[in-house]
Amino acid sequence: GGNPVSAASANVVLDTVNDPEFLKEVQEKGAYIKEKVLGFHSPAVKNVRGMGLMLGIIVDPEKRAGYVSKLMEKGILVLTAGTDAIRLLPPLVITYEEIDKALEAMKEVWSAVSAAPVPLSARPTDPLPRHLRKCAWLFATARENREG
């Protein structure tokens, strides 16, 4: 089943996403973010790759957890991917003003975390399988936040 309201909503989304002008703007915003992040000339940023607004910022794996934590503290929702990428998935309707605000916060985070030593909770744990490493980091971070 389904209902008419859901079907109508889906049609509007499909019409919007399939509009060539909308897709062109998404590509332009993605290129803008990539150019600006690489333009920081930060040793923290190894590369930026992706399509449209789905971008991965390649960083030092040992400091990635620190970057993610600080970005989240500044209100920038990011994900991790692989062992060394920070994934950006901003909404397709994000404005350039919102992008610039996020980029400014990123620039601050790259500087702060790059200068700091790698915290113990962000260091890879040897014997843990990959799917448990993130859990271990989250628990360690929560413990540090409670204690400090």
Side-chain angles (χ1 to χ4, degrees):
N3 66 55
V5 175
S6 295
S9 299
N11 281 334
V12 170
V13 169
L14 290 172
D15 289 344
T16 301
V17 170
N18 287 320
D19 178 2
E21 281 302 308
F22 180 77
L23 293 176
K24 180 181 172 201
E25 187 175 340
V26 167
Q27 292 296 329
E28 289 170 355
K29 288 176 183 176
Y32 178 79
I33 293 170
K34 183 176 181 177
E35 176 186 326
K36 292 292 186 178
V37 170
L38 291 172
F40 293 161
H41 300 293
S42 170
V45 177
K46 310 294 182 210
N47 193 13
V48 180
R49 60 182 181 226
M51 291 176 30
L53 286 169
M54 187 170 69
L55 298 169
I57 301 171
I58 309 306
V59 297
D60 178 353
E62 289 189 348
K63 292 203 173 191
R64 181 177 72 170
Y67 296 129
V68 169
S69 176
K70 292 294 182 190
L71 287 167
M72 296 264 223
E73 284 176 17
K74 291 190 170 284
I76 301 172
L77 183 61
V78 296
L79 302 167
T80 58
T83 59
D84 60 354
I86 296 172
R87 185 183 302 164
L88 304 179
L89 287 166
L92 298 177
V93 294
I94 192 169
T95 65
Y96 280 98
E97 182 180 337
E98 292 166 330
I99 290 171
D100 288 338
K101 186 177 178 182
L103 288 168
E104 187 58 39
M106 283 182 198
K107 192 173 185 179
E108 292 172 17
V109 166
W110 299 150
S111 297
V113 175
S114 294
V118 177
L120 287 175
S121 62
R123 292 188 180 138
T125 51
D126 299 348
L128 285 178
R130 185 173 167 205
H131 70 283
L132 294 179
R133 282 189 218 141
K134 186 171 186 177
C135 293
W137 177 81
L138 289 171
F139 287 122
T141 303
R143 185 179 60 242
E144 287 174 7
N145 289 339
R146 279 194 313 272
E147 294 170 358

